Amino acid sequence: MTEQRIILLTGCSSGIGAYCARALRDDGWRVFATVRNEADLAPLASDGIEALLLDYTRPETISAAVATVRERTGDRIDALFNNGAYGQSGAVEDLTTDVLREQFETNFFGWHELTRQILPLMRRQGHGRIVNCSSILGLVPYRFRGAYTASKFALEGLTITLRMELQGSGIHVSLIEPGPIATRFTANALAKIREHIDLEGSAHAVEYRRQLRRLDGSGPINKHKLGPEAVYDVLKLALNVRSPRPHYLVTTPAKQGVLLKRLLPANLFYRLMRRLD
């Protein structure tokens, strides 16, 4: 009988992480799903998923989660899906350095720490899969998303470097780059922009009003937005194919953005991006 494979996922309270945790369980994986808040443990546990606390900004929770998985599995983790993140909206000039640092602690430094703690296990096993859920904004910049874009650009560079360094080790590393996905991500971004940005005192106050209409759902609906199952479709490929690709693009806008960036002169491409809402 084939041994059940073990995966650790982060950011599983809702959206992509919650969907993928349950889908992986249905596909036969032993799933360890992490959340930041204790209240989010019970729904996962009730569905037969081993739920753990992990907050990327608190290194002690990263170490504790990894230690728990190692204890329960006899020091084995076959795959890691880094997914937990949030998007800090706001013009670059309106972001304090502390706000930018907070974005990187969650979206970048915590991912690096978790990955470093799991890599020694995978090296001893001689195999493993690491999949990082990035964003199309890790490849294509977007106005008023400077903090999030910067964190994802950094993640792209670190992940591909890691992939090259692990060549021949049996450990495969991939990135998923979604465009718009139907999750609570937008609602969380709305809370963060209100928390950290002086919306009325900014030179961009008029533009912020338009942005807030998009974030609170009162503006135009994005007809290209897909459900989290679209991410799971490519996650399965990254976890199962013999030679996973470095990049997996999800949604039509993501694929169009990368294609246009390749084809258009830089000035024209960035003017085009400037006009997008």
Side-chain angles (χ1 to χ4, degrees):
M1 181 178 293
T2 303
E3 194 171 18
Q4 188 179 35
R5 289 187 293 171
I6 298 161
I7 186 167
L8 173 63
L9 300 84
T10 66
C12 297
S13 61
S14 64
I16 291 170
Y19 183 92
C20 289
R22 292 175 172 87
L24 284 161
R25 174 210 58 195
D26 293 344
D27 281 347
W29 288 76
R30 182 177 179 184
V31 177
F32 290 87
T34 75
V35 295
R36 288 187 302 114
N37 301 311
E38 280 197 42
D40 295 321
L41 292 169
L44 292 164
S46 67
D47 284 340
I49 294 167
E50 296 178 73
L52 305 171
L53 288 174
L54 188 152
D55 184 336
Y56 279 128
T57 69
R58 296 167 57 205
E60 69 276 11
T61 69
I62 297 174
S63 298
V66 172
T68 298
V69 176
R70 294 180 63 178
E71 180 181 357
R72 293 186 189 177
T73 65
D75 262 1
R76 193 172 121 240
I77 298 177
D78 298 300
L80 167 65
F81 182 39
N82 278 306
N83 168 70
Y86 73 92
Q88 174 65 60
S89 298
V92 171
E93 65 186 288
D94 292 334
L95 298 167
T96 67
T97 302
D98 284 342
V99 169
L100 188 62
R101 186 177 291 114
E102 182 180 326
Q103 178 79 105
F104 269 73
E105 289 291 347
T106 297
N107 290 15
F108 184 72
F109 295 122
W111 294 37
H112 175 243
E113 179 60 28
L114 176 58
T115 301
R116 284 190 69 249
Q117 292 197 27
I118 287 176
L119 271 171
L121 278 71
M122 291 184 172
R123 279 199 175 276
R124 286 199 293 271
Q125 295 165 179
H127 72 271
R129 300 287 170 112
I130 298 169
V131 183
N132 286 339
C133 193
S134 181
S135 168
I136 182 55
L137 297 189
L139 299 170
V140 174
Y142 193 55
R143 292 182 309 139
F144 303 102
R145 303 292 184 275
Y148 183 72
T149 296
S151 72
K152 292 301 185 180
F153 264 66
L155 178 67
E156 294 274 336
L158 196 75
T159 301
I160 295 304
T161 301
L162 178 64
R163 178 185 170 94
M164 292 189 293
E165 292 167 351
L166 291 174
Q167 193 73 34
S169 69
I171 304 169
H172 299 279
V173 182
S174 296
L175 285 152
I176 296 176
E177 286 112 349
I181 300 292
T183 68
R184 283 197 338 220
F185 187 88
T186 301
N188 293 336
L190 180 62
K192 285 294 184 181
I193 192 173
R194 285 176 168 159
E195 178 183 356
H196 290 138
I197 303 296
D198 179 5
L199 297 171
E200 291 303 322
S202 168
H204 301 280
V206 173
E207 180 60 30
Y208 280 144
R209 292 186 198 110
R210 289 199 325 118
Q211 293 286 323
L212 289 174
R213 285 196 296 273
R214 186 187 64 79
L215 290 172
D216 68 13
S218 63
I221 297 174
N222 190 329
K223 62 182 179 181
H224 297 293
K225 187 175 286 189
L226 300 179
E229 66 277 4
V231 175
Y232 186 63
D233 287 343
V234 297
L235 175 61
K236 283 196 296 185
L237 292 175
L239 293 175
N240 292 304
V241 298
R242 183 181 297 274
S243 298
R245 288 160 26 195
H247 303 276
Y248 289 91
L249 291 163
V250 183
T251 73
T252 297
K255 295 172 184 177
Q256 289 174 337
V258 169
L259 180 62
L260 290 174
K261 188 177 182 182
R262 286 192 195 128
L263 296 178
L264 295 179
N267 282 341
L268 178 57
F269 175 72
Y270 293 128
R271 282 203 302 271
L272 175 65
M273 292 300 298
R274 170 69 179 79
R275 293 201 298 268
L276 294 178
D277 285 331

